[in-house]
Amino acid sequence: MPGLQTLYQLQVAELERADVARRLQEAEGGLGETDDLRRVRADLQREESGLTALRTRVRDLELEVKGLNGKAAATEKRLYGGEVRNPKELASLQADLASLRARRDSLEDTILAGLTEMDEREARLRELRGRWQAVQSAWESRQGELQASVSALRAQLAELDERIARLRAALPASLLEVYDEACRKKGGRGIAAIRGGLCEGCRVSVPTSIVQQVRGGEQIHRCTSCGRILCVVG
Ligand SMILES: [Zn+2]
């Protein structure tokens, strides 16, 4: 049957096309941000905003301490300045001063704790930044590789499409019809070469007389076991 060799080439091209299409889909699926990248970035952002909030809180407390110190100085001045002599008023000023100082001391403790926490958070942030850089640069280089594969696979696919169209155009419609039908039933392998006397599709031996007839090429022969169109390649 003239055209069987071409039909076999068509199958090779179509199987290769399916493989390239699958690899392309896989590569395209890998493009874009990964869960790991998003997670590390979210951790980093959370740590950065946490540290910013802490810095603001400590700065506010420091300002409050400054204000309390100012008030305490003014109270002290009145207390020891000699202008106030009334014992009741003096006692009240004394109480105010003690309360201002107590409040300031408590704020200073909070500030100290805040500064310690800030050190810890800064260390954590440095670690996260290092991790982010590593994850991001690995991701970028992987994306670069994937982009390159996607381009190469797309080019390969276009070439295969052209080859398939050319091969199909060279084959009689009736033969293509039989082949396409067989391909649908046999996972894209509608034609099988006879190799070493066996059908390559199902590994069942083909009678020598049939091999001769297939070689003679008068008509289409199908494997009696798997139903594929038989051909002799080479
Ligand atoms: Zn077979």
Side-chain angles (χ1 to χ4, degrees):
M1 182 92 201
L4 282 183
Q5 302 270 329
T6 309
L7 190 62
Y8 194 77
Q9 286 169 21
L10 172 65
Q11 175 167 283
V12 169
E14 288 186 337
L15 288 172
E16 193 183 341
R17 191 202 183 280
D19 181 53
V20 169
R22 182 187 53 75
R23 278 155 56 207
L24 176 61
Q25 199 180 13
E26 227 173 68
E28 282 174 337
L31 288 176
E33 297 196 332
T34 58
D35 288 347
D36 197 31
L37 186 81
R38 287 200 196 93
R39 193 174 47 243
V40 176
R41 186 177 49 213
D43 286 351
L44 181 65
Q45 283 168 349
R46 197 168 40 244
E47 200 53 48
E48 273 171 347
S49 62
L51 184 58
T52 304
L54 181 61
R55 281 195 182 119
T56 307
R57 202 156 66 238
V58 168
R59 203 172 43 241
D60 288 349
L61 290 172
E62 282 168 345
L63 283 174
E64 207 180 330
V65 165
K66 214 173 155 190
L68 288 171
N69 277 336
K71 275 186 197 164
T75 310
E76 237 174 339
K77 206 174 160 194
R78 289 199 65 203
L79 188 59
Y80 304 117
E83 282 171 33
V84 181
R85 285 164 197 280
N86 179 331
K88 223 173 149 183
E89 204 178 329
L90 284 171
S92 153
L93 282 171
Q94 194 82 57
D96 285 352
L97 188 60
S99 132
L100 284 168
R101 283 176 175 161
R103 170 91 183 120
R104 182 202 56 197
D105 289 350
S106 145
L107 287 183
E108 276 176 344
D109 287 348
T110 311
I111 288 171
L112 269 181
L115 291 173
T116 307
E117 192 189 336
M118 218 185 270
D119 283 347
E120 288 164 8
R121 280 179 172 266
E122 273 163 0
R124 210 150 61 217
L125 191 59
R126 273 195 298 278
E127 192 189 303
L128 271 171
R129 281 190 178 131
R131 197 167 140 52
W132 166 247
Q133 263 170 2
V135 168
Q136 196 196 25
S137 90
W139 176 79
E140 272 171 4
S141 86
R142 178 82 188 116
Q143 290 296 302
E145 284 167 17
L146 284 171
Q147 282 288 3
S149 326
V150 164
S151 309
L153 289 167
R154 279 186 186 149
Q156 231 177 312
L157 205 61
E159 258 174 53
L160 283 165
D161 280 341
E162 249 178 68
R163 191 151 105 219
I164 288 166
R166 224 170 29 239
L167 291 167
R168 281 188 169 267
L171 287 162
S174 56
L175 183 57
L176 281 173
E177 213 171 292
V178 175
Y179 162 76
D180 284 334
E181 173 65 18
C183 278
R184 269 194 293 279
K185 289 180 181 157
K186 294 290 165 189
R189 292 172 188 269
I191 183 166
I194 301 165
R195 295 186 197 275
L198 303 177
C199 161
E200 71 173 355
C202 65
R203 317 294 300 160
V204 165
S205 113
V206 180
T208 319
S209 58
I210 299 291
V211 180
Q212 294 302 332
Q213 286 178 40
V214 170
R215 213 184 284 280
E218 291 304 315
Q219 57 176 14
I220 295 177
H221 285 275
R222 287 164 172 269
C223 169
T224 49
S225 164
C226 70
R228 290 184 175 92
I229 302 164
L230 290 170
C231 71
V232 177
V233 178

